[in-house]
Amino acid sequence: MSLGEKIKGRREELGLSVEQLGEKLAVSQELIIKWESGKCIPHLSHLITISDELGLTLDELVKEDEAVKKHVLSAKSLEKWHLAILIYLLAIVTYIGYFAIHNHIFMVGFLVATLFMLSFELKYFITRRISRHDQKE
């Protein structure tokens, strides 16, 4: 049984509407519908509140559904890697500035390439934060 089926089945067992569950979890009805249909996998913080509200253990929610298990494990490690890359690229830009000031050599190509990569990482990081914020609402 998939995670969405478990959420929907347990919600119906408890006699809760999508709207009522949304209020209890402090999320939109649309998000619950996405979870139940399998179009979206809840963030770990939502899985904890779902577990609490529906009286299911995290093991029941996560471990029995391979897609969810994989999503939860990979999302956390991906976020750490993107943050590390973002910090690394900022350090390179700082080094280029330091090198240009002290040695009077400005590495334009290196700076442009680094800023280009930095812009993609910032875009990913910001959109990820916004999507997490939207899921909370």
Side-chain angles (χ1 to χ4, degrees):
M1 182 181 286
S2 73
L3 173 66
E5 292 169 340
K6 289 177 193 173
I7 293 171
K8 184 175 183 177
R10 186 66 178 148
R11 176 182 59 77
E12 290 173 346
E13 282 177 24
L14 296 172
L16 296 171
S17 68
V18 172
E19 182 180 0
Q20 290 169 325
L21 183 58
E23 288 173 8
K24 287 180 176 271
L25 300 175
V27 298
S28 68
Q29 296 175 40
E30 292 81 16
L31 188 55
I32 292 176
I33 292 168
K34 285 181 183 179
W35 293 342
E36 290 182 352
S37 66
K39 292 180 182 176
C40 179
I41 297 174
H43 188 269
L44 183 58
S45 61
H46 287 130
L47 286 171
I48 293 169
T49 56
I50 291 167
S51 170
D52 291 341
E53 290 298 327
L54 298 181
L56 297 169
T57 65
L58 284 174
D59 281 355
E60 291 173 315
L61 289 172
V62 177
K63 286 189 175 180
E64 294 175 9
D65 190 333
E66 280 301 313
V68 175
K69 188 176 174 181
K70 185 177 177 182
H71 172 75
V72 169
L73 293 174
S74 68
K76 192 66 176 170
S77 64
L78 273 178
E79 219 169 280
K80 288 179 184 176
W81 274 109
H82 281 284
L83 184 59
I85 291 169
L86 190 61
I87 292 168
Y88 176 73
L89 291 170
L90 286 170
I92 290 174
V93 170
T94 304
Y95 175 74
I96 292 171
Y98 172 81
F99 195 80
I101 291 169
H102 290 289
N103 296 322
H104 306 292
I105 299 172
F106 192 62
M107 300 175 280
V108 176
F110 191 45
L111 179 63
V112 168
T114 305
L115 289 174
F116 184 72
M117 291 185 294
L118 184 62
S119 69
F120 277 102
E121 282 301 315
L122 276 172
K123 180 184 175 202
Y124 173 83
F125 194 74
I126 291 168
T127 54
R128 187 88 173 138
R129 293 284 176 167
I130 290 171
S131 70
R132 263 200 292 170
H133 178 69
D134 288 347
Q135 283 187 346
K136 288 180 183 177
E137 293 178 352

